[in-house]
Amino acid sequence: MSAGEAGAVSGGGEVVVETAVRNVGGLHTRPAAVIAELLAGFAATVTLAVPGKEPATATSAISIAILAAAPGTPVRITGTGAEARAAVDAVRELIDEGFGEELAEELAGELSETGGPSTGAPDAAPAAPPPSAPAEHHPARPLGVSPGRVIGPVAVRRGARPVAPSTAERLPAAARPEAVERLERATAHVAETLRASGEHLEGQRREVLLATAVLAADEAVAAAAAAGIRDDGLTPEAVVWRELTRTAERYREAGGRFAERTIDLIDVRDRIIARLRGVELAGLPEAGHPVIVVADDLAPADTVALDATTCLALVTEQGGPTSHTAIIARELGIPAIVGAVGATGLADGTLVLVDGSTGELVVQPDAAVQATATGVLTVPPFVGPGRTSDGHLVQLTANIGAPRDAARALERGAEGVGLFRTEFCFLDRTSAPTVDEQVEAYAEVLAAFAGRTVVLRTLDAGSDKPLPFLTPQDEPNPALGVRGYRTARRDPGVLDDQLRAIAIAAERTAEHPHVMSPMIATVGEAREFVRRARAAGLATVGIMIETPAAVMVAEELCALADFVSVGTNDLAQYTMAADRQSGELAELTDAWQPAVLRMISLVGAAAARTGTPLSVCGEGAADARLAPVLVGLGASSLSMAARAIPAVGDTLAQATLEQCRRAAEAACAADTPAAAREAAQRALA
Ligand code: PEP
Ligand code: MG
């Protein structure tokens, strides 16, 4: 499951290994800190290199983070020294395991319009539909990042940042060694304070603070700062300001999740400067009663003092859905919105309503708006079985990409696995996995879901999920090329090995996995797949319907297969002729597009006529508002990112099957996605 075998010991004792980033946040601060800390224990010099950037010294968390390595980025790990092999392998293992974070493949496509940006954040609950009451909005476009709709007086944190030190002052040569030591002491104090605070906490707050402590003690910054004092005679304050501001700027330029960590560096900088000056940094406002805390931004260290009993909600001007403010707010169950530009201009005590799902910030809400506050929303795990309000069963299962995702899916209440994207186990491979390796991965998931449905999808390599050992690298149009089942044209042995591995895993665990093929376009392909799967000894064989061609022959596919499963991501891509990875065309690949809904409706009709179970496993199934429509179209099971299961289960439980059918009919008859949503909502009201 790793690229280690591709690694080589080159001449001169250098160990080189290549792998790719898997965790959804990429090599941001915390993973970078984990790598830097790990390497402190090895007698080896290790660098990490990504395409187009200078290699980073892997004992410097900041240097690693500046690589801005997003999920999927290839990483070359190079080590020298007595323990180079062990050090390089340990780093590769961390990267391959995703640092215990959610993996990118789990989130693939999850930024569906359902919940907007808040659903794309790790552990965000799916957003609720916006309330219908129009209200006075703050002039900004805030984002909800932690759910809950609360009202309270604001307490604004002001003047938290120190003023920039002068860069004009030059230290005499004799004073420079002492200045270096003074800076080292201040830095060590800040790192130690952050570390000690982190040690007293749990969960993500602990991890975030410990990672920030590693940033404070970063060796690359310390070396540059010491050089600035020794060589240029800058004061410790000026040099810390220069180095950490510059580094923060590079984080900002990297964009996305990395930019959202800029505040962490700025805060470390300010804490070191405050220590050098012997002053205290302003903490969170203390009003003596529960308040909505408003700040420009919050650093991890600020959040130590956060307490859900006194902090009703958080509102920040900066930050994004994956900023530490957002992560920690979600962990503490505190509603939060970020990006509320201008919010720090509010007077202390101003009454506001904050909706951490929709991003609404209403200043001085009137009585009608106040009445819409519901308090803090917590999303307990789903308790199945999934059903409509009149008891029609709809199995709610999880999409997973690796065996380790099974535990999270179980925690959220998944009734089974409706889509195991097996290719994600092998994304970093340069050669086909052995049957034994596959058996191990599949058996782990089957055992975790013993007695429940597990649908393994055979390798869906190509296009957005290239596997170098299976898919051509030079196709002009990979989404329309040799991907999914089509790879079996060139390498039938890979498919047969996989089917064999699934059968062995089934035997070993005494479970009964379902298997299905992606990217089927013809009846002939479906027939051949079913034949091969049955020949391997697999009893329950399905076909994915994700091309318009498959929709048009759905009845024949249903007759051949034991079940069919609609992949809304690809079905939307191919129906709308719009790349599913294009942000610019996202509105076209919306599963609410009437053309896509009508495609699904054709499949539903074919499934009903043939009595074939119909599942939907694309991201459309994670949209709590679309779920009743899909059920109305004939889906008897919905498979989605595990985090969406509670909200989908909740929505379904509020509608009868007849309402779902009416919603489906109304949505299909609409002529725009917005009209389809409204029509469905009306039918469900
Ligand atoms: C889909 O296309 O909707 C699907 C479930 O498969 P994937 O997203 O893995 O292509
Ligand atoms: Mg697909």
Side-chain angles (χ1 to χ4, degrees):
M1 223 60 81
S2 75
E5 291 61 46
V9 181
S10 66
E14 202 178 60
V15 180
V16 184
V17 158
E18 287 182 357
T19 187
V21 177
R22 290 191 75 209
N23 59 309
V24 75
L27 297 186
H28 62 84
T29 307
R30 193 188 64 81
V34 172
I35 294 174
E37 280 216 296
L38 171 99
L39 287 175
F42 285 95
T45 302
V46 177
T47 60
L48 300 187
V50 303
K53 300 243 170 95
E54 285 291 306
T57 305
T59 38
S60 161
I62 288 180
S63 307
I64 298 172
I66 283 173
L67 295 175
T73 305
V75 184
R76 173 181 286 257
I77 311 164
T78 305
T80 53
E83 294 181 321
R85 165 53 71 189
V88 163
D89 283 349
V91 173
R92 187 205 59 216
E93 198 173 314
L94 281 175
I95 295 176
D96 287 350
E97 285 181 352
F99 304 90
E101 287 183 7
E102 204 141 15
L103 303 182
E105 52 263 36
E106 282 182 345
L107 282 177
E110 250 184 66
L111 281 172
S112 65
E113 54 61 58
T114 326
S118 63
T119 56
D123 290 329
S132 47
E136 181 205 342
H137 287 257
H138 200 269
R141 294 183 57 208
L143 282 180
V145 293
S146 178
R149 187 170 169 89
V150 293
I151 300 181
V154 302
V156 182
R157 184 175 70 175
R158 298 173 207 282
R161 303 274 157 242
V163 287
S166 152
T167 49
E169 189 183 338
R170 287 289 180 277
L171 298 170
R176 295 179 188 181
E178 195 280 325
V180 171
E181 276 175 29
R182 202 159 70 79
L183 176 58
E184 282 170 359
R185 280 198 302 277
T187 304
H189 173 84
V190 170
E192 182 47 33
T193 309
L194 289 168
R195 202 191 55 73
S197 305
E199 295 288 358
H200 286 104
L201 297 169
E202 287 182 352
Q204 306 223 42
R205 285 204 294 167
R206 174 190 174 91
E207 290 186 12
V208 165
L209 269 180
L210 294 180
T212 312
V214 175
L215 287 188
D218 191 85
E219 63 169 46
V221 171
I229 297 173
R230 264 196 310 267
D231 304 342
D232 305 334
L234 288 168
T235 63
E237 288 89 332
V239 88
V240 162
W241 186 276
R242 183 185 73 181
E243 289 307 320
L244 284 170
T245 308
R246 193 182 275 168
T247 310
E249 206 38 54
R250 292 175 73 181
Y251 269 48
R252 200 188 308 278
E253 281 162 10
R257 288 163 195 270
F258 298 95
E260 291 175 13
R261 301 289 179 267
T262 306
I263 177 67
D264 302 7
L265 284 165
I266 296 289
D267 187 63
V268 165
R269 178 197 72 187
D270 294 350
R271 282 175 196 280
I272 297 173
I273 287 185
R275 179 72 189 172
L276 286 165
R277 289 178 179 164
V279 295
E280 289 284 318
L281 268 193
L284 291 179
E286 282 176 21
H289 55 80
V291 287
I292 290 176
V293 173
V294 176
D296 182 45
D297 204 348
L298 290 177
D302 293 325
T303 59
V304 177
L306 280 176
D307 172 353
T309 56
T310 53
C311 175
L312 297 169
L314 288 173
V315 175
T316 62
E317 294 208 12
Q318 315 279 329
T322 57
S323 60
H324 284 147
T325 303
I327 292 170
I328 288 167
R330 283 193 290 274
E331 185 172 71
L332 294 175
I334 297 176
I337 66 180
V338 299
V341 177
T344 54
L346 292 168
D348 280 336
T350 308
L351 196 69
V352 298
L353 176 141
V354 168
D355 191 319
S357 294
T358 62
E360 242 187 320
L361 173 61
V362 186
V363 179
Q364 303 290 16
D366 61 22
V369 173
Q370 286 188 32
T372 65
T374 51
V376 177
L377 298 182
T378 51
V379 185
F382 173 67
V383 180
R387 57 172 83 212
T388 58
S389 63
D390 53 343
H392 173 73
L393 291 179
V394 181
Q395 199 181 30
L396 300 182
T397 55
N399 294 347
I400 67 169
R404 74 176 72 85
D405 306 338
R408 198 175 285 122
L410 282 165
E411 270 168 26
R412 301 286 167 105
E415 294 181 59
V417 173
L419 170 64
F420 179 2
R421 290 181 163 109
T422 56
E423 61 281 356
F424 282 112
C425 296
F426 310 115
L427 273 188
D428 54 355
R429 297 289 300 242
T430 50
S431 59
T434 64
V435 169
D436 285 350
E437 283 172 309
Q438 295 188 58
V439 170
E440 203 183 304
Y442 306 153
E444 201 176 325
V445 174
L446 292 177
F449 277 90
R452 302 187 223 189
T453 307
V454 174
V455 183
L456 292 104
R457 177 178 69 187
T458 53
L459 293 178
D460 184 23
S463 189
D464 54 309
K465 314 173 201 80
L467 287 185
F469 61 87
L470 196 55
T471 49
Q473 315 266 316
D474 52 356
E475 286 183 304
N477 211 340
L480 301 181
V482 184
R483 64 162 294 202
Y485 178 76
R486 297 171 183 183
T487 57
R489 291 163 174 250
R490 296 183 176 194
D491 294 283
V494 173
L495 176 62
D496 286 336
D497 276 356
Q498 185 173 29
L499 293 170
R500 196 150 57 86
I502 296 170
I504 297 171
E507 206 176 293
R508 186 171 296 172
T509 53
E511 293 296 321
H512 302 284
H514 297 192
V515 65
M516 67 181 180
S517 171
M519 270 301 279
I520 291 291
T522 70
V523 178
E525 288 171 349
R527 187 176 293 120
E528 180 58 13
F529 176 74
V530 173
R531 187 193 66 74
R532 281 168 186 262
R534 296 214 196 287
L538 296 164
T540 312
V541 186
I543 295 296
M544 280 192 81
I545 301 209
E546 39 186 7
T547 62
V551 173
M552 299 321 290
V553 295
E555 192 145 342
E556 287 92 325
L557 302 185
C558 286
L560 281 167
D562 299 306
F563 66 97
V564 290
S565 187
V566 171
T568 55
N569 308 332
D570 278 318
L571 185 57
Q573 154 164 273
Y574 295 122
T575 299
M576 304 302 296
D579 187 338
R580 63 190 264 183
Q581 304 204 78
S582 162
E584 201 178 333
L585 301 179
E587 144 247 339
L588 287 179
T589 48
D590 183 346
W592 282 95
Q593 280 287 353
V596 178
L597 294 177
R598 291 179 208 180
M599 285 276 176
I600 302 172
S601 141
L602 291 176
V603 181
R609 279 196 297 275
T610 51
T612 311
L614 166 64
S615 169
V616 177
C617 65
E619 295 310 322
D623 178 341
R625 285 173 290 175
L626 188 59
V629 171
L630 296 172
V631 169
L633 290 173
S636 54
S637 99
L638 299 174
S639 193
M640 66 206 84
R643 77 165 64 77
I645 292 176
V648 167
D650 196 43
T651 313
L652 276 183
Q654 290 169 35
T656 62
L657 179 58
E658 188 46 38
Q659 278 181 308
C660 293
R661 288 187 175 138
R662 282 206 301 269
E665 202 178 319
C668 284
D671 56 5
T672 65
R677 281 189 188 87
E678 275 165 33
Q681 203 163 338
R682 268 197 307 277
L684 293 166

